[in-house]
């Protein structure tokens, strides 16, 4: 499954669990609850890809990609003002 299909599947699952309401009518907390349910039932291989100097993280909830800088041999990645272990 590619990223776009994953986002569509999450949205469809959330809408199904919320009684087929529009996404605009679903609260952020409710959306996150059902999205995490879907993610637990349908895990992705990995949300993190590490290159030599960059780590790319795929956030399944938002459908965004976050690019972080890395240092070889150091177990964290950073972006100005943002750290991720």
């Amino acid at each position: 499954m590619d990223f776009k299909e994953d986002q569509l599947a999450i949205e469809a699952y959330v809408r199904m669990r919320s009684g087929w309401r529009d996404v605009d009518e679903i609260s952020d907390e409710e959306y996150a609850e059902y999205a995490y349910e879907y993610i637990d039932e349908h895990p992705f291989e990995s949300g993190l890809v590490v290159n030599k100097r960059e780590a790319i993280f795929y956030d399944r909830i938002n459908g965004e990609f976050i690019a972080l800088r890395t240092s070889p041999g150091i177990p964290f990645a950073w972006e100005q003002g943002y750290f991720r272990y």
Side-chain angles (χ1 to χ4, degrees):
M1 178 182 299
D2 67 5
F3 300 117
K4 184 67 174 170
E5 288 176 356
D6 185 51
Q7 284 302 300
L8 292 173
I10 289 172
E11 184 178 326
Y13 182 83
V14 169
R15 290 191 63 217
M16 179 195 67
R17 293 281 287 141
S18 65
W20 296 106
R21 290 182 285 158
D22 287 335
V23 175
D24 299 339
E25 299 173 355
I26 302 169
S27 69
D28 292 339
E29 295 83 18
E30 188 178 11
Y31 188 94
E33 177 186 345
Y34 295 140
Y36 283 120
E37 265 182 31
Y38 178 84
I39 289 169
D40 288 342
E41 293 175 10
H42 302 91
F44 223 49
E45 287 183 26
S46 176
L48 182 67
V49 176
V50 179
N51 297 326
K52 290 183 181 180
R53 296 271 183 205
E54 186 176 55
I56 300 172
F57 178 75
Y58 172 56
D59 183 2
R60 290 181 76 186
I61 298 294
N62 298 329
E64 297 176 352
F65 292 92
I66 302 169
L68 305 169
R69 295 180 195 93
T70 63
S71 292
I74 300 175
F76 67 85
W78 74 94
E79 185 177 79
Q80 187 172 355
Y82 180 79
F83 285 86
R84 182 179 200 88
Y85 233 102

